[in-house]
Amino acid sequence: MRILLVEDDRKAAALLTRGLLEEGFVVDHAATIAEADEAAFVTTHDLIVLDGMLPDGDGVALCRTLRARGQQVPVLMLTARDALSDRVAGLNAGADDYLTKPFEFEELLARVRALLRRSEMTRPPVLQTEDLSLDPASQQVTRGGVLIDLTPKEFALLQALMRQPGAVVSRQRLAEQIWHGDALAIDNLIDAHISKLRRKVDVDGKRALIETVRGRGFRIRGSEDA
């Protein structure tokens, strides 16, 4: 099991890393939101242990970003703030559990193991359309067995389409789900991302799967479509 530990306190990070390594986990460490965001996108993790306050921002915001782009990796929030409003904010942002500092390592380990057990039971299914495959858990997309390198927004767009093969997904829905805004304000942005996504997915020699439905939105062609 691979864990991403996001903690800017070097001493605390070293102690937690050593403890988790001794329990048999592989541990990646990030000290800032920027480092954590890159690590979470580049590498597949089974769990993220996320400090609530980091030098370049709030851990809650990072958790919200991960969820917005479709990453369902379990998140255990760590924070020195124990107010109810802080705990609620973290959980509403998509955190799966919340641990207030100071804490005993044994409690953290128990919560980590509980989240990992729950994650295995609720692992999302791989989405498949013809030879195009998208794994929400590992964040990997392949076509014909060949790995496709997508940006976070491209991945989120493709996932939204593949969850409803053959159905039209409106621009408004994509705007709200991925950009959290009004489709009219980001219409050209949606088109630009769809165009880049199509160039990566609908490569030469493969049947075009991403279709623009004029005046309605976009869809992934179902297997029954000619």
Side-chain angles (χ1 to χ4, degrees):
M1 292 290 184
R2 193 178 200 99
I3 294 176
L4 174 60
L5 173 63
V6 188
E7 170 63 73
D8 64 310
D9 185 316
R10 293 189 177 186
K11 183 177 180 180
L15 289 172
L16 288 175
T17 297
R18 185 173 64 188
L20 291 169
L21 288 172
E22 289 176 351
E23 293 297 325
F25 296 103
V26 176
V27 181
D28 295 325
H29 173 242
T32 66
I33 287 180
E35 290 177 1
D37 193 23
E38 181 179 2
F41 181 66
V42 171
T43 305
T44 299
H45 296 92
D46 298 289
L47 177 76
I48 296 178
V49 178
L50 175 60
D51 189 22
M53 293 298 293
L54 295 161
D56 54 343
D58 192 334
V60 171
L62 174 60
C63 187
R64 190 177 293 112
T65 297
L66 296 174
R67 298 303 185 233
R69 70 183 184 211
Q71 290 184 262
Q72 298 303 314
V73 55
V75 174
L76 172 59
M77 293 282 296
L78 306 178
T79 181
R81 299 179 300 188
D82 60 357
L84 175 62
S85 59
D86 293 322
R87 297 197 298 273
V88 169
L91 294 171
N92 284 340
D96 298 274
D97 199 359
Y98 207 99
L99 188 56
T100 304
K101 298 178 179 180
F103 53 82
E104 296 295 330
F105 179 75
E106 288 76 11
E107 182 179 4
L108 178 136
L109 185 60
R111 290 174 182 265
V112 163
R113 286 174 171 162
L115 286 174
L116 290 172
R117 287 195 300 271
R118 189 189 312 166
S119 176
E120 283 299 306
M121 295 173 62
T122 60
R123 185 180 178 89
V126 174
L127 305 178
Q128 188 79 37
T129 299
E130 296 190 7
D131 62 344
L132 178 65
S133 176
L134 181 149
D135 187 342
S138 68
Q139 298 279 297
Q140 289 191 337
V141 175
T142 61
R143 184 157 192 193
V146 178
L147 189 65
I148 302 174
D149 184 23
L150 299 180
T151 66
K153 284 291 192 292
E154 291 165 356
F155 182 91
L157 276 171
L158 184 60
Q159 182 171 229
L161 298 177
M162 290 187 69
R163 288 195 182 281
Q164 302 180 75
V168 177
V169 182
S170 70
R171 292 173 178 273
Q172 186 63 45
R173 183 170 179 181
L174 292 174
E176 292 171 354
Q177 181 177 333
I178 299 172
W179 280 274
H180 308 286
D182 183 4
L184 293 177
I186 57 175
D187 207 33
N188 291 336
L189 191 59
I190 294 175
D191 283 335
H193 279 81
I194 285 287
S195 178
K196 292 177 181 177
L197 178 62
R198 186 178 277 123
R199 286 198 295 269
K200 294 180 179 181
V201 171
D202 294 336
V203 294
D204 292 341
K206 297 286 188 179
R207 187 169 89 102
L209 295 178
I210 301 175
E211 179 185 17
T212 299
V213 181
R214 189 177 298 277
R216 296 176 59 195
F218 308 93
R219 70 167 184 157
I220 285 282
R221 295 180 187 271
S223 300
E224 69 281 359
D225 294 326

